[in-house]
Amino acid sequence: MAIAPIPRLTARQGHDPRKSDLSPPPNLPTHVVQGGVLLGGQRLVGLTVSGLGSIFLARWLTPEIFGTYAILWFCIALAINVSEMGLTAALLLQPESRLRKELPSVATAQLLVMVALAAAMAATTPVLIDWLGLGPEAAWPLRAMAVLLPLSALRLVPAVKLERRLYYMPLTIADTIDTIVFYSVAVAAAYAGAGLWSFVIGILVGRVTSITSLWVREPWWPILPIPWGEWRCTIRRGWAFQSTAMLVQAREAVAPILVRHLAGVPAVGLLNLASALALQTVQMTNVATRVLFPTFVRLREDDAAFGAACERALNRVAVIIVPATAFLCATADPFVRLVYGTGWTAAIPSVRLFCLSALAGGLTMVAIHALNALGHASVVFRLNLWWTIQLWVLTLILVVPLGYVGFAVAHVIQGLASTLAFHHLRRLRPVRVLAQLQAPCTAAALVAAVLYVLTPWLRNLVLLAGAVSVAVAVYLCLLTLLSGSTWRAEIWREWRHVVDARWSHGLS
């Protein structure tokens, strides 16, 4: 997901944070915890469905098909990110009165832009396919996937309205529908022998179904005549957001462009599966993306409250993703062999390496969102520029001697460098980083070490599942002991927000 930085707000921009309608509501903790639980539940369902779906797809499709789809998706994602131009983030920070006036107008103009871009992509498909290094069989799948561009514009209005009000249930339902439909359709098509079209049909049907569910909750219709003036004004405000988003997209281009050129399309497929598997362990950070950013925005005028919120967020994220990445890294060999089949064993070293980079990147997301909420777009931009240059240079240096595994090594180095974001955050607000990571890292490392020693005896899925289940239970016990009574009291209070508080109408 592209990270959009939030520019520093000034009086010249007509928005005073002290007079903003984004001040913390009285029940903000309840909204945050309940919203986090909703999105966390959705993410758990999504992880289960995508995990099972990926297993079937990996057994019925080849690494070359995975690699071809990864390259096509990169092309579509690049077009969406370029044309989005920071609109979502720019709109989220508008005062309510201005948002009501601008949102339908801007969305209408954006829809037409996306339709025109999709038509241009369809017309120039032969050139794009040749540039991407793919065969002619990928031409019509790329044309079909171009429909995703206008579909992304149709999602703009309901997504902005719901996230602005911290109403997560409709978004949760839409994302869950998207995941379930995509994998259901793609697996069925792959079983029927559709090959590359399995991915294409699945993502189109899933996206249409998801957006339809959002329209039922927040319907809107294009406005005529087209208000191009308001669209251009919002685009100018959004450019500061989009600069960092494009750098993130540039990092994601390394595999489909550079690795494909140096190691071939099947190598991209192996890396795609390995990175997707490792990133499954940090998908809960998407909850932080959706819940914590608007929360940080509301707390940015209170240094103490902002720092405390960052510390709690970092600890809760670490409690989940540290053991997840550690356990997958320890059991990568039997897991890949037993679940995906021996045809994917070449991806095992990359899985372990991606686990390390995913861990560093997942924790860093908290610092990035905090910097975004504080309005330090220049800091986020400079960090992303450094990370992007670093990944391209390291990949170019390492892939030649190490093969495609060199890309995973480059990712680890870049992931470790991403933790510099915490250094910049601590210069702005008092945030204790190491204290929040000590207990989960210690507990996870001890359990993962034992789990790794036991991997030669995990010869079937029953033994593997049993060992991981015991590891999770032992980790939770160690975590509870190491974290102390204050932490246990905080966890209990947070769950009371969910169990005892009334659910607001936007969440229920």
Side-chain angles (χ1 to χ4, degrees):
M1 172 179 241
I3 303 168
I6 305 303
R8 187 184 302 277
L9 300 176
T10 65
R12 185 173 55 192
Q13 291 173 292
H15 186 60
D16 184 353
R18 292 177 177 83
K19 298 179 180 179
S20 171
D21 54 358
L22 294 177
S23 57
N27 58 342
L28 180 61
T30 300
H31 275 285
V32 173
V33 175
Q34 291 177 348
V37 170
L38 280 172
L39 292 175
Q42 180 270 326
R43 186 57 55 189
L44 183 60
V45 173
L47 289 174
T48 303
V49 173
S50 61
L52 292 174
S54 297
I55 293 171
F56 288 110
L57 291 173
R59 288 185 172 273
W60 292 333
L61 302 176
T62 65
E64 185 170 2
I65 292 177
F66 269 76
T68 301
Y69 174 71
I71 295 171
L72 293 180
W73 173 246
F74 155 74
C75 187
I76 296 298
L78 177 63
I80 292 175
N81 284 330
V82 169
S83 53
E84 204 270 344
M85 291 174 283
L87 286 176
T88 301
L91 289 168
L92 278 172
L93 282 185
Q94 291 304 305
E96 189 65 31
S97 58
R98 183 181 296 178
L99 181 66
R100 284 196 300 267
K101 177 178 179 293
E102 289 186 358
L103 185 54
S105 304
V106 172
T108 300
Q110 182 69 3
L111 177 60
L112 291 182
V113 170
M114 289 296 206
V115 170
L117 185 59
M121 180 174 290
T124 60
T125 292
V127 177
L128 291 173
I129 290 298
D130 183 65
W131 175 68
L132 294 171
L134 301 176
E137 68 278 359
W140 278 107
L142 179 59
R143 291 189 179 101
M145 291 177 66
V147 178
L148 294 171
L149 274 67
L151 289 178
S152 68
L154 293 176
R155 182 186 169 89
L156 179 63
V157 171
V160 169
K161 284 184 176 180
L162 294 168
E163 290 203 34
R164 172 67 172 239
R165 301 196 298 269
L166 299 180
Y167 291 170
Y168 294 105
M169 180 63 81
L171 295 170
T172 299
I173 294 174
D175 290 344
T176 305
I177 289 174
D178 196 341
T179 301
I180 293 175
V181 173
F182 166 71
Y183 280 101
S184 299
V185 174
V187 168
Y191 180 76
L196 177 60
W197 280 99
S198 306
F199 289 109
V200 178
I201 298 172
I203 196 169
L204 289 175
V205 176
R207 198 58 50 86
V208 169
T209 309
S210 170
I211 292 174
T212 300
S213 71
L214 286 177
W215 268 45
V216 172
R217 179 61 174 81
E218 293 287 345
W220 72 279
W221 300 100
I223 295 175
L224 295 175
I226 306 301
W228 293 109
E230 295 179 3
W231 178 78
R232 287 192 295 269
C233 182
T234 307
I235 289 299
R236 285 195 294 269
R237 294 195 300 267
W239 272 118
F241 300 77
Q242 197 64 13
S243 57
T244 296
M246 292 310 303
L247 287 175
V248 174
Q249 191 66 42
R251 289 203 299 275
E252 295 176 354
V254 176
I257 294 179
L258 191 56
V259 176
R260 189 270 307 164
H261 176 73
L262 296 174
V265 175
V268 177
L270 290 168
L271 290 172
N272 184 56
L273 181 88
S275 62
L277 179 57
L279 288 174
Q280 293 281 18
T281 62
V282 298
Q283 284 300 306
M284 285 299 178
T285 58
N286 286 343
V287 176
T289 303
R290 301 277 284 276
V291 177
L292 293 178
F293 170 68
T295 304
F296 288 159
V297 170
R298 285 164 166 80
L299 296 175
R300 59 186 171 187
E301 299 305 318
D302 187 334
D303 289 0
F306 188 93
C310 289
E311 291 177 358
R312 284 195 300 272
L314 179 61
N315 178 263
R316 303 316 183 254
V317 169
V319 163
I320 297 173
I321 70 173
V322 169
T325 52
F327 295 170
L328 177 59
C329 186
T331 61
D333 193 325
F335 185 86
V336 172
R337 293 178 186 276
L338 295 174
V339 174
Y340 292 96
T342 55
W344 293 91
T345 53
I348 292 173
S350 298
V351 171
R352 288 198 168 104
L353 291 167
F354 279 126
C355 282
L356 299 177
S357 63
L359 173 59
L363 295 175
T364 302
M365 287 292 288
V366 176
I368 291 295
H369 292 308
L371 290 170
N372 286 344
L374 292 173
H376 286 266
S378 60
V379 173
V380 177
F381 177 81
R382 289 196 301 269
L383 287 172
N384 276 278
L385 179 60
W386 162 240
W387 299 335
T388 301
I389 295 173
Q390 185 183 54
L391 185 60
W392 274 90
V393 172
L394 288 173
T395 300
L396 185 62
I397 295 173
L398 296 174
V399 168
V400 174
L402 300 179
Y404 61 88
V405 178
F407 174 70
V409 175
H411 243 281
V412 172
I413 299 174
Q414 184 264 313
L416 294 175
S418 68
T419 57
L420 286 174
F422 285 107
H423 170 71
H424 291 278
L425 176 61
R426 293 181 72 247
R427 294 170 59 185
L428 301 170
R429 293 292 189 274
V431 179
R432 298 171 300 170
V433 176
L434 295 180
Q436 309 306 319
L437 302 179
Q438 183 176 357
C441 287
T442 302
L446 291 174
V447 178
V450 176
L451 197 58
Y452 178 76
V453 173
L454 295 176
T455 51
W457 290 275
L458 305 179
R459 297 188 178 92
N460 56 61
L461 286 175
V462 175
L463 292 175
L464 178 61
V468 173
S469 299
V470 173
V472 171
V474 174
Y475 164 75
L476 292 175
C477 293
L478 286 176
L479 176 68
T480 303
L481 292 174
L482 294 173
S483 297
S485 58
T486 301
W487 181 86
R488 292 192 292 270
E490 289 178 355
I491 294 294
W492 175 249
R493 279 198 305 270
E494 290 171 4
W495 278 107
R496 287 290 299 270
H497 281 304
V498 179
V499 176
D500 297 337
R502 284 184 172 181
W503 291 81
S504 63
H505 70 280
L507 294 170
S508 59

